[in-house]
């Protein structure tokens, strides 16, 4: 009888062990396939101004894919330059508003253009994946959209080099961040904006919560939802609300791969770099400046192009709601005051960095 019991226990453990090994094997191959996709997509990139030969070993790099963002670019570049980004490596996806021409003139920008499908390139991740394989290995690399402004504890007095030194010192290979939707007090169309303006002068309100948080398998990636878009646009179907967690800053290795924008990564242990709102790890916030007045017209364009969602038809009502020029401000809205406020609300953490 004891022997039978030991035998049952032994075989009872095998399926879980085999399952774990099989999942690890599948994730390794998934990562390799993503890296191969990025290498294959390099042929879609047309170099316009390649200054990458001047990148120094310790330089902090910023990667971005964008389309028709010339109005945001002066402040976007100024913000990240002030934080200490040395070089910007940008893919322009067939802009027709002067974005590519503006970027090509910037002495710290390397620019590639492509008319290829944004969706077919995994929403630009494949294009940036190749540039990060080619130029990012060993560097601290920041990957952000044109409407995302990263802030972190002490960001106004300590540059990114101080932040990355802290991350290196504590053995944290990346910085997670909550994407925080900012919006005006009135209708979206009233959020006036012209090139060179600071969007934070116009978008001054945000939702402090609530947020839902869960881990997804098999990659162990975080999934955070909530905030203003969940409240206003997805109240009847919260599961469709946008994912708000990102890992935008990583000490890059050419074997790494972003899986879904910067929401999830492989190898899967990198997804543990961020534990979401209320977490203990050093983290930041991506101030999301999408809801300037220009978003109404842009939403019409994005709906027609169908390039921003895997199932564009499912999000037609979302675009229609933005096009209707709503008021996002509500009873629970707070005025943005600074990073200390966001830390007190549990939306970022300094994790002992004093």
């Amino acid at each position: 009888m004891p022997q039978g019991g030991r035998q049952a226990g032994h075989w009872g453990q095998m399926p879980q062990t085999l399952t774990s090994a099989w999942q690890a094997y599948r994730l390794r191959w998934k990562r390799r396939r993503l890296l191969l996709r990025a290498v294959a997509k390099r042929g879609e990139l047309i170099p316009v101004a390649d200054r990458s030969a001047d990148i120094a070993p310790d330089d902090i790099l910023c990667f971005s894919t964008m389309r028709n963002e010339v109005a945001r670019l002066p402040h976007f570049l100024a913000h990240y330059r002030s934080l200490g980004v040395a070089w910007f490596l940008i893919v322009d996806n067939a802009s027709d508003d002067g974005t590519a021409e503006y970027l090509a003139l910037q002495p710290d920008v390397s620019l590639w253009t492509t008319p290829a499908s944004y969706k077919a390139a995994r929403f630009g991740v494949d294009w940036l994946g190749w540039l990060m394989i080619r130029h990012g290995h060993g560097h601290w690399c920041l990957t952000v959209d044109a409407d995302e402004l990263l802030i972190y504890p002490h960001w106004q007095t300590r540059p990114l080099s101080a932040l990355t030194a802290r991350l290196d010192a504590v053995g944290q290979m990346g910085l997670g961040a909550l994407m925080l939707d900012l919006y005006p007090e009135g209708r979206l169309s009233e959020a006036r904006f012209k090139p060179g303006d600071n969007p934070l002068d116009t978008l001054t309100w945000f939702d402090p919560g609530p947020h839902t948080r869960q881990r997804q398998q098999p990659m162990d990636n975080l999934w955070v939802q909530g905030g203003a878009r969940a409240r206003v646009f997805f109240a009847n179907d919260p599961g469709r609300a946008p994912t708000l967690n990102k890992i935008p800053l990583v000490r890059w290795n050419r074997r790494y791969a972003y899986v879904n924008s910067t929401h999830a990564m492989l190898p899967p242990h990198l997804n543990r770099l961020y534990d979401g709102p209320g977490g203990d790890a050093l983290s930041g916030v991506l101030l999301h400046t999408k809801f300037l007045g220009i978003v109404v017209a842009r939403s019409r364009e994005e709906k027609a192009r169908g390039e921003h969602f895997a199932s564009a038809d499912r999000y037609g009502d979302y675009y229609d709601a933005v096009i209707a020029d709503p008021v996002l401000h509500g009873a629970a809205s707070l005025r943005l005051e600074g990073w200390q406020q966001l830390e007190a609300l549990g939306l970022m953490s300094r994790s002992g960095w004093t």
Side-chain angles (χ1 to χ4, degrees), residues 54-76:
D54 294 329
I55 295 174
D58 293 332
D59 283 344
I60 296 174
L61 312 180
C62 178
F63 295 80
S64 186
T65 300
M66 54 185 66
R67 172 183 165 83
N68 288 344
E69 295 290 3
V70 71
R72 281 191 174 90
L73 279 173
H75 185 266
F76 173 88

Side-chain angles (χ1 to χ4, degrees), residues 83-95:
L83 293 185
V85 167
W87 295 97
F88 299 85
L89 294 91
I90 297 177
V91 176
D92 175 75
N93 187 203
S95 293

Side-chain angles (χ1 to χ4, degrees), residues 78 178 183 219 251 285 340 345 354:
L178 178 74
Y183 47 83
M219 292 193 301
R251 180 177 278 283
V285 164
Q340 295 92 340
L345 292 167
T354 60

Side-chain angles (χ1 to χ4, degrees), residues 334-349:
L334 295 181
R335 183 181 289 275
L336 182 65
E337 297 175 357
W339 71 264
Q340 295 92 340
Q341 172 200 32
L342 300 180
E343 182 190 36
L345 292 167
L347 303 182
M348 72 162 66
S349 172

Side-chain angles (χ1 to χ4, degrees), residues 119 123 240 302-319:
K119 182 191 293 187
F123 309 103
R240 291 171 56 215
E302 289 173 8
K303 181 181 179 182
R305 292 180 71 233
E307 287 279 303
H308 282 262
F309 291 102
S311 301
D313 291 344
R314 291 189 60 208
Y315 289 88
D317 53 350
Y318 166 69
Y319 284 126

